[in-house]
Amino acid sequence: MTEAPSKIESMRKWVVEHKLRAVGCLWLGGISSSIAYNWSRPNMKTSVKIIHARLHAQALTLAALVGSACVEYYDQKYGSSGPKVDKYTSQYLAHSHKD
């Protein structure tokens, strides 16, 4: 019987399949929370609040794009089953455990 995928594996699979949607959702959440935070600071002008929110969201988007690139690299290199062990490595491991 096959085990159900873990929560992290399910999230990773969704991010791999929907990279741009994940980045867009992260951007929207970032700019929304940054605007909410900046609006709680009454001593700033509205234009400065919007500029700060945009800068925070832009930094978060760049971080999300880097994270998405890392997920894509990992998926291309190892696939969905994790790190692959080639036949030479498995032969080495088999011989190294002999007494």
Side-chain angles (χ1 to χ4, degrees), residues 34-99:
S34 183
I35 286 174
Y37 170 73
N38 283 325
W39 242 258
S40 70
R41 302 172 71 189
N43 59 346
M44 294 173 69
K45 294 169 72 176
T46 303
S47 60
V48 175
K49 292 177 183 180
I50 292 172
I51 289 170
H52 282 183
R54 185 191 62 82
L55 288 173
H56 293 146
Q58 190 173 12
L60 188 62
T61 302
L62 286 174
L65 286 172
V66 168
S68 180
C70 291
V71 167
E72 179 65 24
Y73 173 77
Y74 182 86
D75 195 50
Q76 289 293 320
K77 187 170 182 178
Y78 300 118
S80 60
S81 61
K84 294 179 184 170
V85 178
D86 61 3
K87 68 178 186 176
Y88 300 110
T89 304
S90 61
Q91 287 174 355
Y92 171 76
L93 292 174
H95 292 297
S96 66
H97 292 299
K98 290 184 179 180
D99 292 325

Side-chain angles (χ1 to χ4, degrees), residues 1 3 6 15-17 19 22 24-28 30 38 40-41 52 57 59 61 72 76 78 80 86 94:
M1 191 156 42
E3 290 183 31
S6 68
V15 168
V16 167
E17 292 174 0
K19 289 176 198 69
C25 289
L26 194 59
W27 175 83
L28 185 62
N38 283 325
S40 70
R41 302 172 71 189
H52 282 183
T61 302
E72 179 65 24
Q76 289 293 320
Y78 300 118
S80 60
D86 61 3

